[in-house]
Amino acid sequence: MIHALKKAIGLIVSAAIFSAAVSAAGAEDNPLGLIEPGKLHVGTISDGRPYSFIDGEGNFVGFEIDYFNDLAKRMGFDEGQVVVTAQDFTALLPSVANGRFDVAFAAIGTTPERLKTVDFSTGYLAGFMSIMTPDESIQTPKDLAGKRIGVLQGSIQEAYAAKNFKNSEIVRFPSNNAAVVALVNGSISGYFLDYEGGLLFLKQYPQLKMTINISSFDAPAGFAIKKGNVALKAALDKAIKESMAEGVWQRLYEKWLPGVPMPEQYLPNR
């Protein structure tokens, strides 16, 4: 009986040691806690010009695509090890929280509500939220009263509009393209989006104007990562700091957002 008990205890201890060894080996092989060791699975949207979108040849391009590829390289990954998948904006953060993506980006503002479900890297985008409209009589938030105003579902603009545009009808859209089509067709009076993204639509639709601009520097965009993944956050934060210090962030910003003001804290020697 005692011999059997000792044998059982020995087996339990051996199993525990083996499990610990496997865990240690796993941590060593996958120090960033990725879904698939050696690859970064990334989620983004396909129509988020100029940040992340699919071009005429079916390739992901944009400021965030170029910038994340630079960060990934600094973290030891080549471009072929970054797997980018398109998804609706509203599904990005749940997909990170559920372990489908290691990282998500789409100019996603860091807010207290979002921090309840995911973590964010240090910020890398800050700008303005704007009303895009063909109606030049809309010049102040008060002029939105009684109007149908579109927002991207799950965006900072949606939360801001729900809180501050009390006298407007808020219409939620799954994508920027769907909202702009509705705006051009007259189904909504204005579309509330980020300023930089709106600039490209103005080139495509000259009848549209950006008439109201609201500061959003209190919720800078960051890369969303799974809650508690300290190693990945630290690696991203380090890479972001290096890229900004070396002027890479500035060069890519000037390439994709020419003429748009840049926050001083993101520039070299700051």
Side-chain angles (χ1 to χ4, degrees):
M1 182 70 175
I2 293 175
H3 176 73
L5 180 59
K6 286 183 177 179
K7 184 177 181 181
I9 292 173
L11 290 172
I12 292 171
V13 171
S14 297
I17 293 172
F18 177 76
S19 178
V22 170
S23 296
E28 185 177 336
D29 294 339
N30 189 18
L32 298 181
L34 304 178
I35 298 166
E36 182 181 0
K39 287 190 177 181
L40 282 166
H41 287 272
V42 176
T44 189
I45 58 177
S46 61
D47 65 344
R49 295 173 182 266
Y51 307 113
S52 174
F53 61 99
I54 295 177
D55 66 11
E57 298 179 357
N59 300 313
F60 275 100
V61 295
F63 169 80
E64 285 179 302
I65 296 294
D66 283 356
Y67 190 52
F68 189 79
N69 281 333
D70 176 76
L71 300 181
K73 185 177 180 180
R74 294 173 187 275
M75 292 160 55
F77 299 89
D78 61 39
E79 196 166 332
Q81 293 175 297
V82 179
V83 182
V84 184
T85 302
Q87 195 164 50
D88 286 346
F89 187 87
T90 53
L92 289 176
L93 297 189
S95 292
V96 170
N98 295 334
R100 182 183 178 192
F101 299 136
D102 296 303
V103 179
F105 55 77
I108 306 173
T110 305
T111 66
E113 187 65 26
R114 288 171 176 167
L115 283 168
K116 293 177 182 178
T117 57
V118 297
D119 286 335
F120 282 89
S121 70
T122 188
Y124 62 90
L125 277 175
F128 292 89
M129 302 180 290
S130 303
I131 291 289
M132 185 166 62
T133 177
D135 185 353
E136 294 188 15
S137 70
I138 297 177
Q139 295 293 327
T140 71
K142 291 182 178 179
D143 299 327
L144 300 176
K147 307 287 189 182
R148 286 167 52 86
I149 303 302
V151 295
L152 179 64
Q153 188 174 3
S155 66
I156 295 176
Q157 289 83 359
E158 178 189 17
Y160 185 95
K163 182 178 179 181
N164 296 281
F165 302 160
K166 297 289 188 181
N167 297 318
S168 303
E169 181 183 350
I170 307 303
V171 184
R172 293 160 177 82
F173 291 90
S175 69
N176 288 316
N177 286 335
V180 173
V181 168
L183 181 61
V184 172
N185 290 341
S187 299
I188 55 176
S189 298
Y191 183 42
F192 193 35
L193 75 170
D194 61 274
Y195 175 85
E196 294 86 352
L199 290 178
L200 292 173
F201 286 113
L202 297 188
K203 294 179 181 179
Q204 187 175 358
Y205 302 99
Q207 70 270 39
L208 301 179
K209 303 288 185 294
M210 224 94 85
T211 60
I212 302 173
N213 298 304
I214 299 167
S215 172
S216 65
F217 281 83
D218 58 340
F223 295 106
I225 57 179
K226 191 168 185 178
K227 199 79 177 167
N229 192 337
V230 178
L232 182 54
K233 174 175 168 52
L236 278 170
D237 287 350
K238 180 175 182 291
I240 290 170
K241 183 177 180 180
E242 290 174 354
S243 75
M244 289 180 176
E246 294 174 14
V248 174
W249 182 94
Q250 182 178 3
R251 291 196 296 272
L252 291 176
Y253 195 92
E254 289 171 342
K255 171 187 174 181
W256 288 103
L257 297 94
V260 178
M262 291 180 281
E264 291 187 359
Q265 62 266 38
Y266 295 165
L267 301 180
N269 303 318
R270 297 289 175 176

